[in-house]
Amino acid sequence: MRAHEAGSHQNKGWEKFTDAVITKISNEKEKVVFLLWGKFAEGKIKLIDTSKHFILTAPHPSPLGAWRGWFGSKHFSKTNVFLKKIGAESISW
């Protein structure tokens, strides 16, 4: 991994682990909120049962992506609205 070099952390093996975790959560749980930030994260939608879970996507909150739609995405308040709707406790972000 190299500081300040986008993607330098890829292809180190962690992708297999995170894919397995996402798949397990999707298969075994219901009504999970997935916040997918950035194109790479959006690609994980294919691992998630969209009929059972709440998914929000936005540009990555890096200095570049933050101004391209992450700011103003209101993912934290949208998450809390969803949690309230299903009778779950909201998160104090």
Short mmCIF file of all heavy atoms in Angstrom, two decimals, residues 23-64:
data_model
loop_
_atom_site.label_atom_id
_atom_site.label_comp_id
_atom_site.label_asym_id
_atom_site.label_seq_id
_atom_site.Cartn_x
_atom_site.Cartn_y
_atom_site.Cartn_z
N THR A 23 -21.62 -11.20 1.80
CA THR A 23 -22.52 -12.28 1.38
C THR A 23 -23.17 -12.96 2.58
O THR A 23 -24.37 -13.20 2.59
CB THR A 23 -21.76 -13.31 0.53
OG1 THR A 23 -21.22 -12.65 -0.63
CG2 THR A 23 -22.65 -14.45 0.09
N LYS A 24 -22.40 -13.24 3.61
CA LYS A 24 -22.93 -13.89 4.82
C LYS A 24 -23.97 -13.00 5.51
O LYS A 24 -25.04 -13.47 5.89
CB LYS A 24 -21.80 -14.23 5.78
CG LYS A 24 -22.24 -15.03 6.99
CD LYS A 24 -21.06 -15.59 7.74
CE LYS A 24 -21.43 -16.44 8.92
NZ LYS A 24 -22.07 -17.70 8.59
N ILE A 25 -23.66 -11.73 5.65
CA ILE A 25 -24.61 -10.81 6.27
C ILE A 25 -25.89 -10.74 5.44
O ILE A 25 -27.00 -10.80 5.97
CB ILE A 25 -23.99 -9.41 6.45
CG1 ILE A 25 -22.89 -9.45 7.52
CG2 ILE A 25 -25.06 -8.37 6.80
CD1 ILE A 25 -22.05 -8.20 7.59
N SER A 26 -25.73 -10.61 4.13
CA SER A 26 -26.90 -10.52 3.25
C SER A 26 -27.77 -11.77 3.35
O SER A 26 -29.00 -11.67 3.41
CB SER A 26 -26.46 -10.30 1.81
OG SER A 26 -27.59 -10.27 0.95
N ASN A 27 -27.14 -12.94 3.37
CA ASN A 27 -27.88 -14.19 3.40
C ASN A 27 -28.54 -14.48 4.75
O ASN A 27 -29.64 -15.03 4.79
CB ASN A 27 -26.96 -15.37 3.04
CG ASN A 27 -26.54 -15.34 1.59
OD1 ASN A 27 -27.16 -14.68 0.75
ND2 ASN A 27 -25.47 -16.04 1.29
N GLU A 28 -27.87 -14.10 5.83
CA GLU A 28 -28.34 -14.51 7.15
C GLU A 28 -29.12 -13.45 7.92
O GLU A 28 -29.74 -13.77 8.94
CB GLU A 28 -27.14 -14.99 7.99
CG GLU A 28 -26.50 -16.24 7.40
CD GLU A 28 -25.36 -16.78 8.23
OE1 GLU A 28 -25.15 -16.31 9.38
OE2 GLU A 28 -24.65 -17.68 7.72
N LYS A 29 -29.08 -12.23 7.48
CA LYS A 29 -29.76 -11.14 8.19
C LYS A 29 -30.84 -10.54 7.30
O LYS A 29 -30.92 -10.82 6.10
CB LYS A 29 -28.76 -10.06 8.60
CG LYS A 29 -27.63 -10.55 9.49
CD LYS A 29 -28.14 -10.97 10.84
CE LYS A 29 -27.01 -11.43 11.74
NZ LYS A 29 -27.49 -11.87 13.04
N GLU A 30 -31.64 -9.67 7.90
CA GLU A 30 -32.66 -8.92 7.16
C GLU A 30 -32.61 -7.46 7.58
O GLU A 30 -32.23 -7.14 8.71
CB GLU A 30 -34.05 -9.49 7.42
CG GLU A 30 -34.26 -10.86 6.83
CD GLU A 30 -35.70 -11.34 6.96
OE1 GLU A 30 -36.58 -10.53 7.31
OE2 GLU A 30 -35.92 -12.53 6.71
N LYS A 31 -32.99 -6.60 6.68
CA LYS A 31 -33.12 -5.17 6.94
C LYS A 31 -31.82 -4.53 7.41
O LYS A 31 -31.81 -3.68 8.30
CB LYS A 31 -34.25 -4.91 7.93
CG LYS A 31 -35.59 -5.39 7.40
CD LYS A 31 -36.70 -5.19 8.40
CE LYS A 31 -37.98 -5.76 7.85
NZ LYS A 31 -39.05 -5.77 8.83
N VAL A 32 -30.72 -4.93 6.80
CA VAL A 32 -29.42 -4.33 7.07
C VAL A 32 -29.26 -3.12 6.15
O VAL A 32 -29.68 -3.15 4.99
CB VAL A 32 -28.28 -5.34 6.82
CG1 VAL A 32 -26.91 -4.68 6.92
CG2 VAL A 32 -28.39 -6.51 7.79
N VAL A 33 -28.69 -2.06 6.68
CA VAL A 33 -28.40 -0.88 5.86
C VAL A 33 -26.97 -1.01 5.36
O VAL A 33 -26.03 -1.13 6.14
CB VAL A 33 -28.56 0.42 6.68
CG1 VAL A 33 -28.23 1.64 5.82
CG2 VAL A 33 -29.96 0.53 7.25
N PHE A 34 -26.81 -0.99 4.04
CA PHE A 34 -25.50 -1.01 3.41
C PHE A 34 -25.22 0.37 2.83
O PHE A 34 -26.00 0.85 2.00
CB PHE A 34 -25.44 -2.05 2.29
CG PHE A 34 -25.43 -3.48 2.76
CD1 PHE A 34 -26.62 -4.17 2.96
CD2 PHE A 34 -24.24 -4.14 3.01
CE1 PHE A 34 -26.62 -5.49 3.38
CE2 PHE A 34 -24.22 -5.45 3.43
CZ PHE A 34 -25.41 -6.13 3.63
N LEU A 35 -24.15 1.00 3.26
CA LEU A 35 -23.73 2.29 2.72
C LEU A 35 -22.54 2.01 1.81
O LEU A 35 -21.45 1.68 2.28
CB LEU A 35 -23.32 3.24 3.85
CG LEU A 35 -24.38 3.49 4.93
CD1 LEU A 35 -23.82 4.39 6.03
CD2 LEU A 35 -25.64 4.09 4.33
N LEU A 36 -22.76 2.13 0.52
CA LEU A 36 -21.73 1.81 -0.46
C LEU A 36 -21.22 3.11 -1.07
O LEU A 36 -21.91 3.75 -1.86
CB LEU A 36 -22.30 0.88 -1.53
CG LEU A 36 -22.95 -0.41 -1.00
CD1 LEU A 36 -23.52 -1.23 -2.16
CD2 LEU A 36 -21.96 -1.23 -0.19
N TRP A 37 -20.01 3.45 -0.72
CA TRP A 37 -19.42 4.72 -1.14
C TRP A 37 -18.29 4.48 -2.13
O TRP A 37 -17.28 3.89 -1.80
CB TRP A 37 -18.91 5.48 0.07
CG TRP A 37 -19.97 5.84 1.07
CD1 TRP A 37 -21.32 5.90 0.86
CD2 TRP A 37 -19.78 6.18 2.42
NE1 TRP A 37 -21.97 6.27 2.00
CE2 TRP A 37 -21.04 6.45 2.99
CE3 TRP A 37 -18.66 6.29 3.24
CZ2 TRP A 37 -21.22 6.83 4.31
CZ3 TRP A 37 -18.84 6.66 4.56
CH2 TRP A 37 -20.10 6.94 5.08
N GLY A 38 -18.50 4.94 -3.35
CA GLY A 38 -17.51 4.79 -4.42
C GLY A 38 -17.89 3.67 -5.37
O GLY A 38 -18.67 2.78 -5.06
N LYS A 39 -17.32 3.74 -6.58
CA LYS A 39 -17.63 2.76 -7.63
C LYS A 39 -17.27 1.34 -7.21
O LYS A 39 -17.98 0.40 -7.49
CB LYS A 39 -16.93 3.12 -8.93
CG LYS A 39 -17.48 4.35 -9.60
CD LYS A 39 -18.88 4.10 -10.07
CE LYS A 39 -19.45 5.34 -10.72
NZ LYS A 39 -20.89 5.23 -10.96
N PHE A 40 -16.13 1.18 -6.54
CA PHE A 40 -15.72 -0.16 -6.12
C PHE A 40 -16.75 -0.74 -5.15
O PHE A 40 -17.16 -1.89 -5.30
CB PHE A 40 -14.33 -0.11 -5.47
CG PHE A 40 -13.78 -1.47 -5.16
CD1 PHE A 40 -13.17 -2.22 -6.14
CD2 PHE A 40 -13.89 -1.99 -3.89
CE1 PHE A 40 -12.68 -3.49 -5.87
CE2 PHE A 40 -13.39 -3.25 -3.60
CZ PHE A 40 -12.79 -4.00 -4.60
N ALA A 41 -17.18 0.06 -4.20
CA ALA A 41 -18.18 -0.40 -3.23
C ALA A 41 -19.52 -0.68 -3.91
O ALA A 41 -20.19 -1.66 -3.58
CB ALA A 41 -18.36 0.64 -2.12
N GLU A 42 -19.89 0.15 -4.87
CA GLU A 42 -21.15 -0.07 -5.59
C GLU A 42 -21.16 -1.42 -6.29
O GLU A 42 -22.21 -2.03 -6.45
CB GLU A 42 -21.40 1.04 -6.60
CG GLU A 42 -21.85 2.33 -5.96
CD GLU A 42 -22.14 3.41 -6.98
OE1 GLU A 42 -22.69 3.09 -8.07
OE2 GLU A 42 -21.83 4.58 -6.71
N GLY A 43 -20.00 -1.91 -6.68
CA GLY A 43 -19.90 -3.21 -7.32
C GLY A 43 -20.30 -4.35 -6.39
O GLY A 43 -20.56 -5.47 -6.85
N LYS A 44 -20.35 -4.08 -5.11
CA LYS A 44 -20.72 -5.11 -4.12
C LYS A 44 -22.23 -5.34 -4.08
O LYS A 44 -22.69 -6.29 -3.43
CB LYS A 44 -20.22 -4.74 -2.72
CG LYS A 44 -18.72 -4.53 -2.65
CD LYS A 44 -17.95 -5.76 -3.07
CE LYS A 44 -16.46 -5.51 -3.02
NZ LYS A 44 -15.67 -6.65 -3.49
N ILE A 45 -23.00 -4.52 -4.76
CA ILE A 45 -24.46 -4.69 -4.79
C ILE A 45 -24.82 -6.10 -5.24
O ILE A 45 -25.76 -6.70 -4.75
CB ILE A 45 -25.14 -3.62 -5.67
CG1 ILE A 45 -25.07 -2.26 -4.99
CG2 ILE A 45 -26.58 -3.99 -5.99
CD1 ILE A 45 -25.59 -1.12 -5.83
N LYS A 46 -24.03 -6.65 -6.14
CA LYS A 46 -24.33 -7.98 -6.67
C LYS A 46 -24.27 -9.07 -5.59
O LYS A 46 -24.80 -10.16 -5.77
CB LYS A 46 -23.39 -8.33 -7.82
CG LYS A 46 -21.94 -8.46 -7.42
CD LYS A 46 -21.04 -8.73 -8.62
CE LYS A 46 -19.60 -8.90 -8.23
NZ LYS A 46 -18.88 -7.66 -8.06
N LEU A 47 -23.64 -8.76 -4.46
CA LEU A 47 -23.53 -9.72 -3.36
C LEU A 47 -24.67 -9.59 -2.36
O LEU A 47 -24.78 -10.40 -1.44
CB LEU A 47 -22.20 -9.50 -2.61
CG LEU A 47 -20.93 -9.59 -3.45
CD1 LEU A 47 -19.73 -9.19 -2.60
CD2 LEU A 47 -20.75 -10.97 -4.04
N ILE A 48 -25.50 -8.58 -2.52
CA ILE A 48 -26.53 -8.23 -1.54
C ILE A 48 -27.92 -8.55 -2.09
O ILE A 48 -28.24 -8.18 -3.22
CB ILE A 48 -26.44 -6.74 -1.17
CG1 ILE A 48 -25.04 -6.40 -0.63
CG2 ILE A 48 -27.52 -6.36 -0.17
CD1 ILE A 48 -24.76 -4.92 -0.53
N ASP A 49 -28.74 -9.20 -1.28
CA ASP A 49 -30.13 -9.46 -1.64
C ASP A 49 -30.89 -8.14 -1.48
O ASP A 49 -31.26 -7.75 -0.36
CB ASP A 49 -30.71 -10.55 -0.75
CG ASP A 49 -32.14 -10.92 -1.12
OD1 ASP A 49 -32.83 -10.13 -1.80
OD2 ASP A 49 -32.58 -12.00 -0.70
N THR A 50 -31.11 -7.46 -2.58
CA THR A 50 -31.72 -6.13 -2.54
C THR A 50 -33.19 -6.16 -2.11
O THR A 50 -33.73 -5.12 -1.75
CB THR A 50 -31.61 -5.44 -3.91
OG1 THR A 50 -32.24 -6.26 -4.91
CG2 THR A 50 -30.14 -5.22 -4.29
N SER A 51 -33.80 -7.33 -2.09
CA SER A 51 -35.20 -7.41 -1.65
C SER A 51 -35.29 -7.45 -0.12
O SER A 51 -36.38 -7.25 0.43
CB SER A 51 -35.88 -8.64 -2.25
OG SER A 51 -35.35 -9.84 -1.69
N LYS A 52 -34.17 -7.69 0.57
CA LYS A 52 -34.18 -7.82 2.03
C LYS A 52 -33.50 -6.66 2.75
O LYS A 52 -33.63 -6.54 3.96
CB LYS A 52 -33.44 -9.10 2.46
CG LYS A 52 -34.09 -10.38 2.09
CD LYS A 52 -33.31 -11.64 2.49
CE LYS A 52 -32.17 -11.51 3.42
NZ LYS A 52 -31.50 -12.79 3.74
N HIS A 53 -32.73 -5.86 2.03
CA HIS A 53 -31.89 -4.87 2.68
C HIS A 53 -32.07 -3.47 2.08
O HIS A 53 -32.60 -3.32 0.99
CB HIS A 53 -30.42 -5.29 2.56
CG HIS A 53 -30.16 -6.65 3.12
ND1 HIS A 53 -30.24 -6.93 4.47
CD2 HIS A 53 -29.84 -7.82 2.52
CE1 HIS A 53 -29.98 -8.21 4.67
NE2 HIS A 53 -29.73 -8.78 3.50
N PHE A 54 -31.60 -2.48 2.81
CA PHE A 54 -31.66 -1.08 2.39
C PHE A 54 -30.26 -0.66 1.97
O PHE A 54 -29.31 -0.77 2.75
CB PHE A 54 -32.15 -0.22 3.56
CG PHE A 54 -32.39 1.21 3.24
CD1 PHE A 54 -33.31 1.59 2.27
CD2 PHE A 54 -31.71 2.21 3.93
CE1 PHE A 54 -33.54 2.93 1.99
CE2 PHE A 54 -31.94 3.54 3.66
CZ PHE A 54 -32.86 3.91 2.68
N ILE A 55 -30.11 -0.21 0.72
CA ILE A 55 -28.80 0.10 0.17
C ILE A 55 -28.77 1.56 -0.29
O ILE A 55 -29.67 2.02 -0.99
CB ILE A 55 -28.46 -0.80 -1.02
CG1 ILE A 55 -28.51 -2.27 -0.61
CG2 ILE A 55 -27.10 -0.45 -1.62
CD1 ILE A 55 -28.46 -3.25 -1.77
N LEU A 56 -27.76 2.27 0.15
CA LEU A 56 -27.53 3.65 -0.30
C LEU A 56 -26.16 3.72 -0.96
O LEU A 56 -25.19 3.15 -0.46
CB LEU A 56 -27.58 4.61 0.89
CG LEU A 56 -28.93 4.73 1.59
CD1 LEU A 56 -28.78 5.47 2.92
CD2 LEU A 56 -29.93 5.44 0.69
N THR A 57 -26.08 4.41 -2.09
CA THR A 57 -24.81 4.57 -2.79
C THR A 57 -24.51 6.05 -2.98
O THR A 57 -25.41 6.88 -3.07
CB THR A 57 -24.82 3.89 -4.17
OG1 THR A 57 -25.83 4.50 -4.99
CG2 THR A 57 -25.09 2.40 -4.06
N ALA A 58 -23.23 6.36 -3.01
CA ALA A 58 -22.77 7.73 -3.23
C ALA A 58 -21.31 7.66 -3.66
O ALA A 58 -20.65 6.63 -3.50
CB ALA A 58 -22.89 8.56 -1.95
N PRO A 59 -20.80 8.77 -4.20
CA PRO A 59 -19.36 8.80 -4.49
C PRO A 59 -18.56 8.59 -3.21
O PRO A 59 -19.05 8.82 -2.10
CB PRO A 59 -19.14 10.22 -5.03
CG PRO A 59 -20.48 10.62 -5.57
CD PRO A 59 -21.48 9.98 -4.64
N HIS A 60 -17.33 8.15 -3.37
CA HIS A 60 -16.44 7.93 -2.23
C HIS A 60 -16.20 9.26 -1.51
O HIS A 60 -16.04 10.30 -2.16
CB HIS A 60 -15.11 7.35 -2.71
CG HIS A 60 -14.26 6.83 -1.61
ND1 HIS A 60 -13.48 7.65 -0.83
CD2 HIS A 60 -14.08 5.59 -1.14
CE1 HIS A 60 -12.85 6.93 0.07
NE2 HIS A 60 -13.19 5.66 -0.10
N PRO A 61 -16.15 9.26 -0.16
CA PRO A 61 -15.95 10.52 0.57
C PRO A 61 -14.50 10.97 0.62
O PRO A 61 -14.08 11.62 1.58
CB PRO A 61 -16.49 10.19 1.96
CG PRO A 61 -16.28 8.73 2.11
CD PRO A 61 -16.50 8.16 0.73
N SER A 62 -13.74 10.66 -0.40
CA SER A 62 -12.37 11.17 -0.48
C SER A 62 -12.42 12.65 -0.82
O SER A 62 -13.49 13.17 -1.18
CB SER A 62 -11.61 10.43 -1.58
OG SER A 62 -12.15 10.78 -2.86
N PRO A 63 -11.33 13.35 -0.73
CA PRO A 63 -11.35 14.78 -1.08
C PRO A 63 -11.91 15.04 -2.48
O PRO A 63 -12.55 16.06 -2.71
CB PRO A 63 -9.89 15.19 -0.98
CG PRO A 63 -9.31 14.27 0.03
CD PRO A 63 -10.02 12.95 -0.20
N LEU A 64 -11.72 14.12 -3.40
CA LEU A 64 -12.24 14.29 -4.76
C LEU A 64 -13.73 13.99 -4.82
O LEU A 64 -14.52 14.78 -5.30
CB LEU A 64 -11.48 13.36 -5.70
CG LEU A 64 -11.25 13.83 -7.12
CD1 LEU A 64 -10.47 15.13 -7.15
CD2 LEU A 64 -10.54 12.75 -7.91
#
